[in-house]
Amino acid sequence: MEKNKSIYLSIIFVVILIAGVFIFTNNKNEAGDGGNNISIINGKQIITISAKGGYSPRTTNAKADIPTVIKMETNGSFDCSSSLAIPSLSYRNNLPLTGETSIDVPPQKAGAKLQGICAMGMYNFVINFN
Ligand SMILES: [Cu+2]
């Protein structure tokens, strides 16, 4: 009986640990969401997204109906997130290992959604226009 109890406690411990890691990782991904990565300069909307071991922020809520530039920032990005495709813009490019790459985006309609994805399809980001 004592043995069953310790197995039971071990299982609870592991479940709490996994839940903790999951919550922590989610919080990290949400950081920067909500328009912090957007600035408007001379009537142009600049959306900054970093590419290194994935994309950050994963979700951006942007304005519809204005000219937009996506500024991809890389910084020693040796992983495949530097190999970027944005299918709905027919965009495909190998970003420099370190640097900034501007991608011109025509004004998007409200409700439009742009998805960026790495060459192998394991990392992605989404920009929602509203
Ligand atoms: Cu990839």
Side-chain angles (χ1 to χ4, degrees), residues 10 37 44 58-59 61-62 65-66 75 99 109 112 119 128:
S10 307
N37 60 325
K44 263 196 178 182
R58 293 279 308 279
T59 307
N61 295 312
D65 302 318
I66 70 167
N75 184 9
K109 292 197 175 88
N128 297 309

Side-chain angles (χ1 to χ4, degrees), residues 53-55 77-84 117-123:
Y55 301 108
S77 306
F78 291 95
D79 59 276
C80 66
S81 60
S82 64
S83 182
L84 173 68
I117 193 161
C118 75
M120 280 184 278
M122 58 208 254
Y123 301 126

Side-chain angles (χ1 to χ4, degrees), residues 55-73:
Y55 301 108
S56 175
R58 293 279 308 279
T59 307
T60 299
N61 295 312
K63 279 197 168 77
D65 302 318
I66 70 167
T68 298
V69 173
I70 301 173
K71 197 168 83 185
M72 298 301 304
E73 287 184 344

Side-chain angles (χ1 to χ4, degrees), residues 2-83:
E2 206 41 46
K3 197 183 173 196
N4 280 346
K5 197 179 166 192
S6 70
I7 290 171
Y8 181 68
L9 286 175
S10 307
I11 290 171
I12 288 184
F13 178 75
V14 168
V15 167
I16 290 171
L17 200 70
I18 291 170
V21 167
F22 184 75
I23 290 165
F24 176 76
T25 312
N26 256 11
N27 280 346
K28 210 175 111 197
N29 284 346
E30 295 305 319
D33 283 10
N36 291 339
N37 60 325
I38 297 178
S39 52
I40 300 199
I41 299 167
N42 295 331
K44 263 196 178 182
Q45 168 171 241
I46 317 288
I47 300 170
T48 305
I49 293 175
S50 84
K52 184 177 184 174
Y55 301 108
S56 175
R58 293 279 308 279
T59 307
T60 299
N61 295 312
K63 279 197 168 77
D65 302 318
I66 70 167
T68 298
V69 173
I70 301 173
K71 197 168 83 185
M72 298 301 304
E73 287 184 344
T74 44
N75 184 9
S77 306
F78 291 95
D79 59 276
C80 66
S81 60
S82 64
S83 182

